[in-house]
Amino acid sequence: MSSLWKRNQQRIAPWLFLAPGIFMFAVYVIIPIFQSVNISFYAWDGLGQAEYVGVANYVELMDDEAFYTSLKNNVIWLVLYMLAIPAGLFVALFLNQTVRGIRIYKSLFFFPFVISQVVVGLVFSWFYDPTNGLLNIALMAFGFDPVAVLADEKWVTYGIIAAGLWPQTAYCMILYLTGLNAVDPEQIEAARLDNARGLKMLWYVVLPQLKPATFIALVVTVIGALRSFDLISIMTDGGPWGSSRVLAFYMYEQAFSEYGFRMGYGAAIAVVLFAIMMIYISAFLFKMYRDEKGR
Amino acid sequence: MFHRMKTLTAAFAASTLLGSALFAGELVINTDTSDPAPKAAFEALIKGFEAENPDISVTWNLFDHEGYKTSIRNFLTADAPDLANWYAGNRMLPYVNAGLFEPVNDVWDENGLHNSLASAEGSMTIDGKIWGVPYTYYQWGVYYRKDIFEANNIAVPTNWEEFKAAGETLKAAGVTPITIGTKYLWTAGGVFDYLNLRTNGYDFHMALTKGEIAWTDDRVRATMANWKELIDAGFWIDNHAAYSWQEALAPMVQGDAAMYVMGNFAVAPLREAGLTDDQLGFFQFPVINPDVPLAEEAPTDTLHIPSNARNKEEAKLFLAYLARADVQTQINETLGQLPINSGSAVGEDKFLQAGYAMLSSTDGGIAQFFDRDAPAEMAKAGMEGFQEFMVKPDRLEKILTRLEKVRARVYK
């Protein structure tokens, strides 16, 4: 027994250490994925008997206006949320200096990421309020007509994304700030001797060294955009007439909300969302794998 | 989570207690009555029950209003209390169909509830069985600023022409006729219900919510055409899709809007905001089609025994207590609503008296509410359509076609 352990210690030990993590990951992530896929083939109200309906949920999904609205909004979210990365970089570069009290400024900029998304949503709904909101007071001061951002199907998604960018920028900023700490001062020095400065310095010397930070920022921003749920729930509840829904919210609405009794349909939406996320995740994983090999 | 823990500890306490004291009863009640008045009403109710039944100790888990609507599904299946509050009509159908509620015909039989609660028996009955005990209801109608009406010499409108004329006068005086907040949709459902009840009557309302009538039917179009008249005339406040119903109270309090199609629960916040009874009034939604008997909307709140309850005997005792005339008088006094029991006294409050007078003389029928009479999916799609219609009335065709598509799927 003990000799078996001794002989294989090297091989068994990592699995022993991994076991709790693998167990949790399997129970809470891997198995539910398969369960979701399974449920998506049933019509089920979450209470009674589930009835097998084959791909009917997916067929219905293909003919569902609300699904396409949500999908379109998801794309808008994905594209515009990316603004958080350059914005975060800019703020990080701006704050990466040594002046008196810089720590206070840094924490102030980081503040929106620390407060709950629910609070961010509430603050922005007041900001957008058609009668008393700051935005419209400002617009009217400049002679524009007031805009009811959250009640207008044209503006509502952009309004919520703007609210989401606030904490997301802070998140990217903190990633870049830590990245900037690791920038090699000797290389900066050398570049400076070669007369590089300003944008050139940023583009050719600093940014390449920030690549790991950019990568992480990209990953968290994509995931953040795809699971943009809390802001929508707080600010518009998916409205007006469902025009600010994204897939995650639509899924919740169909399966769990006050009027949602369609677990199968909700699961089908979840599977589609998962497939979209999977494209990104595998692209990232592939890139990471290639980079590791290259080294 | 906290509430769940409490229930769990209660369950442990129950199992240990049962061993020692022979007759000690346990009763677990889950409710979402977390607003000040309903909370106080339930506190008093439970205290009264415990005083009469000293051998039963009650555990009461109070839930947040919105959260309750999702958690009820979990606790009915996994960790059932002995009593839970919910709503009459189609709203309880999913739980009845799933076998999660217990029929309580015996409670009705033994306590003569078929007489005393007769008015609500219909909305409590599914498949010939009675599924709970109703304890309160409240009227819907038009709440209005009496002082603004008087200042502009407007009499309370009783028919459609007078109603529209009143709105025009208000607009000329710089007051938006009607306030509403449709962010959470159901307020638009109330407006649709009243327009529909007045245009087509109670039977049509029930047939429509039961899925027996196409949404593209001409009678639905007639209702929508009446609604469009109000929209085109600019009767509703701007940007209502951005407001909840509470936020939409503000223009009325400030005197920028004069009317609100609402349930009686709006009175309490309006009074708190400083409106006196001289400034605030109530009238019945005006007649549109004089050939249609007047029907009203009066949602009923109820208490049910889950099938998985552990202490059903005690729960039935509680239901019998709740159904009693004096108890319903007392609880509705605190709630500011109307008792179901015909032997109960109605509170002195003028809005209660007005609602009681209106509802007891109603001959057209009493509807629950759009989202309680129609099944969940239809209700959601419908109310979303109404909200869209109120902002983009020219999309009517598209909206009705979409609702018809949902109807074809929901009622198979």
Side-chain angles (χ1 to χ4, degrees):
Chain A
M1 183 59 201
S2 77
S3 69
L4 183 84
W5 168 241
K6 281 221 168 83
R7 261 188 286 123
N8 297 306
Q9 199 175 4
Q10 292 275 326
R11 264 190 293 153
I12 298 174
W15 289 107
L16 277 180
F17 282 111
L18 279 174
I22 290 179
F23 175 76
M24 291 299 214
F25 194 66
V27 169
Y28 292 108
V29 179
I30 305 293
I31 296 172
I33 290 174
F34 288 101
Q35 281 176 326
S36 294
V37 175
N38 184 38
I39 292 173
S40 73
F41 295 117
Y42 288 86
W44 184 39
D45 62 3
L47 300 167
Q49 277 297 312
E51 180 199 347
Y52 183 79
V53 292
V55 292
N57 283 327
Y58 292 94
V59 174
E60 194 191 323
L61 209 54
M62 292 299 112
D63 188 34
D64 184 349
E65 254 178 86
F67 171 69
Y68 290 108
T69 313
S70 316
L71 197 62
K72 192 189 93 200
N73 283 338
N74 253 4
V75 173
I76 299 176
W77 269 89
L78 268 177
V79 173
L80 289 184
Y81 227 47
M82 291 303 147
L83 288 177
I85 299 173
L89 176 65
F90 177 80
V91 178
L93 289 171
F94 175 66
L95 290 178
N96 192 40
Q97 45 186 320
T98 39
V99 289
R100 223 178 123 75
I102 190 69
R103 283 197 188 161
I104 294 177
Y105 302 133
K106 280 184 183 171
S107 27
L108 282 179
F109 272 91
F110 191 56
F111 175 68
F113 186 70
V114 181
I115 57 177
S116 148
Q117 294 260 312
V118 176
V119 177
V120 173
L122 275 178
V123 168
F124 268 82
S125 347
W126 293 328
F127 175 64
Y128 290 137
D129 185 288
T131 39
N132 307 312
L134 204 55
L135 177 74
N136 282 309
I137 292 174
L139 278 179
M140 283 195 279
F142 286 104
F144 292 102
D145 286 335
V147 183
V149 177
L150 297 182
D152 188 324
E153 56 182 350
K154 284 202 298 289
W155 294 109
V156 62
T157 299
Y158 302 103
I160 303 174
I161 294 175
L165 279 176
W166 190 41
Q168 191 65 26
T169 302
Y171 194 6
C172 292
M173 177 203 78
I174 212 78
L175 290 171
Y176 277 121
L177 271 179
T178 40
L180 282 170
N181 275 338
V183 166
D184 187 356
E186 280 178 21
Q187 288 189 24
I188 305 280
E189 200 72 10
R192 207 161 267 160
L193 286 178
D194 287 340
N195 211 17
R197 57 173 47 117
L199 276 180
K200 265 202 171 143
M201 169 83 100
L202 174 68
W203 188 255
Y204 291 106
V205 181
V206 178
L207 268 188
Q209 297 191 62
L210 287 176
K211 216 175 148 194
T214 310
F215 177 70
I216 297 291
L218 193 64
V219 173
V220 295
T221 308
V222 165
I223 293 175
L226 284 174
R227 36 172 263 196
S228 48
F229 172 85
D230 13 21
L231 283 176
I232 297 172
S233 173
I234 285 297
M235 293 175 72
T236 64
D237 204 30
W241 52 94
S243 45
S244 65
R245 280 194 282 239
V246 294
L247 287 177
F249 189 80
Y250 192 40
M251 170 194 79
Y252 165 81
E253 237 181 31
Q254 290 291 324
F256 304 110
S257 76
E258 188 182 348
Y259 302 107
F261 282 94
R262 306 190 66 199
M263 293 294 167
Y265 199 59
I269 302 167
V271 169
V272 172
L273 183 59
F274 174 69
I276 298 172
M277 281 205 187
M278 215 47 210
I279 297 173
Y280 273 89
I281 294 169
S282 30
F284 285 134
L285 286 179
F286 179 70
K287 191 184 168 309
M288 219 150 74
Y289 176 74
R290 219 180 41 193
D291 287 357
E292 299 261 304
K293 273 214 144 171
R295 250 166 232 167
Chain B
M1 214 48 224
F2 171 70
H3 294 298
R4 227 186 146 81
M5 282 307 294
K6 249 170 60 180
T7 324
L8 278 178
T9 29
F12 276 121
S15 53
T16 42
L17 269 177
L18 278 178
S20 53
L22 203 57
F23 295 108
E26 248 323 291
L27 186 64
V28 182
I29 306 177
N30 286 8
T31 71
D32 68 340
T33 47
S34 50
D35 290 332
K39 191 175 165 189
F42 261 83
E43 253 160 22
L45 176 73
I46 289 167
K47 212 167 270 167
F49 176 75
E50 280 181 323
E52 282 188 23
N53 302 277
D55 51 338
I56 299 175
S57 73
V58 179
T59 311
W60 175 34
N61 302 317
L62 193 57
F63 284 69
D64 154 67
H65 194 65
E66 298 299 325
Y68 188 79
K69 292 166 183 168
T70 45
S71 35
I72 185 168
R73 270 183 257 181
N74 294 340
F75 68 62
L76 283 185
T77 42
D79 181 22
D82 302 314
L83 285 168
N85 76 319
W86 197 239
Y87 312 103
N90 232 328
R91 202 71 192 277
M92 63 179 178
L93 187 66
Y95 305 114
V96 170
N97 282 346
L100 291 173
F101 280 162
E102 179 105 343
V104 290
N105 288 50
D106 48 348
V107 178
W108 283 63
D109 296 339
E110 285 158 23
N111 299 287
L113 304 187
H114 297 288
N115 286 325
S116 55
L117 306 182
S119 61
E121 189 170 342
S123 56
M124 297 307 298
T125 310
I126 293 175
D127 296 336
K129 287 182 193 147
I130 302 171
W131 298 94
V133 167
Y135 61 91
T136 186
Y137 72 129
Y138 50 91
Q139 82 269 21
W140 270 66
V142 184
Y143 292 82
Y144 74 109
R145 282 290 297 268
K146 223 162 138 184
D147 50 342
I148 298 180
F149 269 52
E150 277 161 13
N152 293 291
N153 288 319
I154 305 169
V156 167
T158 52
N159 62 46
W160 195 231
E161 294 310 319
E162 284 174 23
F163 185 67
K164 285 187 291 188
E168 290 304 331
T169 317
L170 285 168
K171 262 172 51 194
V175 177
T176 311
I178 317 175
T179 182
I180 189 171
T182 59
K183 183 176 173 186
Y184 295 103
L185 306 177
W186 54 267
T187 44
V191 174
F192 171 81
D193 273 352
Y194 261 109
L195 288 165
N196 195 34
L197 286 171
R198 291 290 182 266
T199 312
N200 298 308
Y202 175 79
D203 293 333
F204 183 83
H205 166 88
M206 290 316 282
L208 183 70
T209 48
K210 278 194 186 113
E212 291 157 7
I213 287 165
W215 280 92
T216 45
D217 190 284
D218 279 341
R219 288 166 290 179
V220 178
R221 284 179 206 278
T223 301
M224 300 312 257
N226 285 332
W227 201 344
K228 192 162 183 296
E229 279 186 63
L230 301 187
I231 298 167
D232 289 344
F235 268 41
W236 309 93
I237 58 163
D238 292 333
N239 306 318
H240 50 76
Y243 300 124
S244 68
W245 75 268
Q246 292 100 327
E247 286 167 320
L249 293 168
M252 186 150 161
V253 174
Q254 290 154 2
D256 296 332
M259 296 184 269
Y260 205 166
V261 181
M262 253 297 147
N264 199 49
F265 50 81
V267 171
L270 282 172
R271 278 183 180 150
E272 262 165 47
L275 292 185
T276 63
D277 280 9
D278 294 329
Q279 292 174 294
L280 196 61
F282 170 81
F283 64 84
Q284 191 172 20
F285 198 91
V287 177
I288 294 179
N289 179 354
D291 301 332
V292 170
L294 290 183
E296 303 299 333
E297 199 135 80
T300 308
D301 291 355
T302 54
L303 216 57
H304 305 264
I305 305 182
S307 309
N308 300 331
R310 275 179 290 262
N311 310 298
K312 286 181 187 165
E313 283 316 308
E314 287 83 353
K316 283 178 180 172
L317 225 56
F318 193 90
L319 286 185
Y321 175 78
L322 176 71
R324 250 166 47 190
D326 58 324
V327 176
Q328 292 218 346
T329 304
Q330 193 203 2
I331 186 173
N332 282 290
E333 189 88 23
T334 323
L335 282 172
Q337 294 181 0
L338 299 167
I340 305 276
N341 194 309
S342 54
S344 298
V346 176
E348 300 275 300
D349 181 84
K350 76 163 182 176
F351 294 101
L352 283 184
Q353 290 292 345
Y356 183 69
M358 178 179 87
L359 291 172
S360 28
S361 63
T362 295
D363 46 4
I366 290 184
Q368 289 297 318
F369 195 75
F370 187 74
D371 75 350
R372 298 191 190 182
D373 288 327
E377 287 168 55
M378 190 70 247
K380 168 86 182 169
M383 297 188 304
E384 216 168 84
F386 303 151
Q387 186 199 31
E388 186 169 358
F389 176 72
M390 285 187 75
V391 184
K392 310 268 180 191
D394 41 317
R395 289 191 194 158
L396 176 65
E397 258 337 287
K398 220 178 105 192
I399 294 168
L400 290 183
T401 319
R402 190 171 70 219
L403 294 189
E404 181 55 20
K405 203 164 110 185
V406 176
R407 183 183 79 97
R409 194 192 68 235
V410 171
Y411 310 89
K412 264 182 238 163

